[in-house]
Amino acid sequence: MRYTIDRNPSEGSPRLGAMTMEPLPDSVGIARRWFRKLIAPYNPNCSVDDCVLMISELVTNAIIYGRSEGSWVVKVEWFREGTSLRVEVHNPGFPANVRMRRPEAADAHGRGLLLVDSIAESWHAGPSRFGGTVVSFVMADAWAA
């Protein structure tokens, strides 16, 4: 399995879609492409480009920092919550390790959560219901009330 896609969420569920991917570098591009394709029919008012950028950052972080003794996957899910869009990225890493950094101008890494913090309405990191860590962001006013 390189990745699986859930195109058909349950009727009446707030979940609009999901992906499960192996923790490989090309999974970042897969996540971007499939999110863009699967969110399009819902016609969100928020910037899909901004969402794709934040998903790229969070999936990259999940691949870099996720850890497990056995095989593991990265899960991405997105939900409609009233007029907001919430996107979650799950990995088997430890929630206590998620922190926003303040990189120096010359640093090559460390800006992912800064981007999420500056673009999203809000973001959260904590224990995942799958075990490990979830980092999520919310885009307000993604749909009309």
Side-chain angles (χ1 to χ4, degrees):
M1 175 216 61
R2 279 188 63 215
Y3 64 91
T4 61
I5 305 296
D6 179 356
R7 298 178 198 221
N8 301 308
S10 301
E11 185 67 32
S13 169
R15 191 176 87 177
L16 302 177
M19 297 176 270
T20 303
M21 300 160 288
E22 291 180 351
L24 303 170
D26 67 337
S27 290
V28 176
I30 290 167
R32 283 193 306 258
R33 283 188 302 278
W34 278 104
F35 175 81
R36 189 178 296 281
K37 181 176 182 171
L38 295 175
I39 199 70
Y42 296 101
N43 198 26
N45 292 331
C46 62
S47 169
V48 172
D49 290 338
D50 284 350
C51 291
V52 167
L53 173 62
M54 292 186 288
I55 288 170
S56 295
E57 295 296 333
L58 296 182
V59 170
T60 298
N61 286 351
I63 292 168
I64 291 171
Y65 300 112
R67 296 285 177 262
S68 179
E69 292 184 18
S71 63
W72 57 280
V73 295
V74 174
K75 295 178 187 252
V76 180
E77 298 181 298
W78 50 99
F79 303 83
R80 182 175 181 161
E81 293 181 336
T83 60
S84 296
L85 170 67
R86 180 172 46 91
V87 177
E88 299 179 350
V89 178
H90 302 264
N91 74 73
F94 298 106
N97 292 339
V98 177
R99 62 185 172 81
M100 192 163 34
R101 298 181 185 170
R102 301 282 182 209
E104 299 294 322
D107 292 344
H109 303 285
R111 291 175 180 78
L113 285 177
L114 282 171
L115 282 170
V116 173
D117 188 60
S118 68
I119 296 170
E121 174 75 18
S122 63
W123 68 276
H124 169 78
S128 168
R129 68 183 177 283
F130 301 113
T133 301
V134 61
V135 181
S136 62
F137 65 85
V138 173
M139 297 295 280
D141 302 320
W143 290 278

